[in-house]
Amino acid sequence: MASKEKGIRIAITGPECTGKTTLAQLLATHFNGLWVPEFSRSYLSSLGRKYTYEDLALMAKEQLNQEKKIWDEAKNKPVFSDTEMLVFYIWSMYRFDKCDQFIVQRIREADYQHYLLTYPDLTWEDDPLRENPDDRMRLFNIYEKALKDFKKPFSVIRGKGEKRLVAALEILAEWL
């Protein structure tokens, strides 16, 4: 676990269209920290074909590379990861009924101080990269169970607009 002197890492996780990116950006700005964008968005946007099971592991590895680069730059600033290995795990299991062991091992090794699990109480926004408008609650329950199964410390973040940010700030007050 990282100390305050070394910086802390917070993972933002949850189903599609639940405000992960917005929350990660707002928290990074609020705490003068850094955020790790979701690599899969740029990868999928330029892919030119349907993604495959193998693509998920490639995206997961590049997500980790980008996270490491930002973590190394952060010094003692907090880092907020918009996407982390649990997203790839659930995505892979949900879409392909299997998951590359590389991803599973990285979840076990992850040293985030806390996970913020975003609740699906935001209005769905269409996006060509999003796939699951009708089953976000089911996916939320899968995320919650996975966090418990992997024994990761987490809190559920609810609310719209400012309420969502305030809820996250209250939880993170312990570390930041």
Side-chain angles (χ1 to χ4, degrees):
M1 199 177 244
S3 68
K4 251 189 173 174
E5 293 76 37
K6 188 177 177 190
I8 68 159
R9 296 167 35 142
I10 303 295
I12 316 295
T13 196
E16 294 174 305
C17 201
T18 57
K20 294 183 297 292
T21 299
T22 299
L23 186 59
Q25 291 172 327
L26 289 171
L27 290 169
T29 298
H30 180 86
F31 290 110
N32 191 32
L34 301 174
W35 73 284
V36 183
E38 177 185 5
F39 172 75
S40 59
R41 289 192 74 66
S42 61
Y43 181 88
L44 293 172
S45 293
S46 64
L47 192 57
R49 61 172 169 77
K50 285 190 82 142
Y51 68 86
T52 64
Y53 171 77
E54 291 75 19
D55 287 319
L56 293 179
L58 291 173
M59 288 185 283
K61 289 174 184 174
E62 185 54 35
Q63 184 71 38
L64 286 172
N65 288 339
Q66 290 191 13
E67 186 173 283
K68 182 184 180 329
K69 181 180 175 187
I70 290 172
W71 179 245
D72 289 346
E73 293 171 9
K75 308 276 185 240
N76 63 346
K77 294 182 178 184
V79 174
F80 300 90
S81 293
D82 177 346
T83 298
E84 40 62 60
M85 293 302 104
L86 193 67
V87 171
F88 289 101
Y89 171 76
I90 290 170
W91 185 3
S92 187
M93 294 302 293
Y94 194 77
R95 179 61 65 205
F96 299 106
D97 288 324
K98 60 183 178 176
C99 185
D100 189 295
Q101 285 305 302
F102 170 84
I103 294 170
V104 174
Q105 188 58 35
R106 297 298 89 70
I107 294 170
R108 289 186 180 117
E109 295 171 356
D111 64 349
Y112 301 104
Q113 278 66 40
H114 206 71
Y115 288 73
L116 299 177
L117 174 58
T118 53
Y119 193 79
D121 54 355
L122 301 180
T123 303
W124 176 266
E125 294 180 18
D126 282 332
D127 178 324
L129 297 178
R130 293 183 178 145
E131 302 176 321
N132 303 295
D134 300 320
D135 54 0
R136 290 188 303 155
M137 194 64 218
R138 179 171 181 246
L139 284 163
F140 173 83
N141 292 330
I142 292 169
Y143 273 91
E144 188 172 41
K145 182 180 182 325
L147 285 163
K148 290 175 182 176
D149 289 349
F150 282 108
K151 296 179 175 47
K152 299 298 182 181
F154 75 97
S155 298
V156 175
I157 300 297
R158 300 171 190 257
K160 296 180 181 179
E162 188 74 16
K163 289 182 181 180
R164 202 172 199 85
L165 176 60
V166 169
L169 292 174
E170 288 174 0
I171 289 163
L172 296 178
E174 179 180 341
W175 296 283
L176 299 166

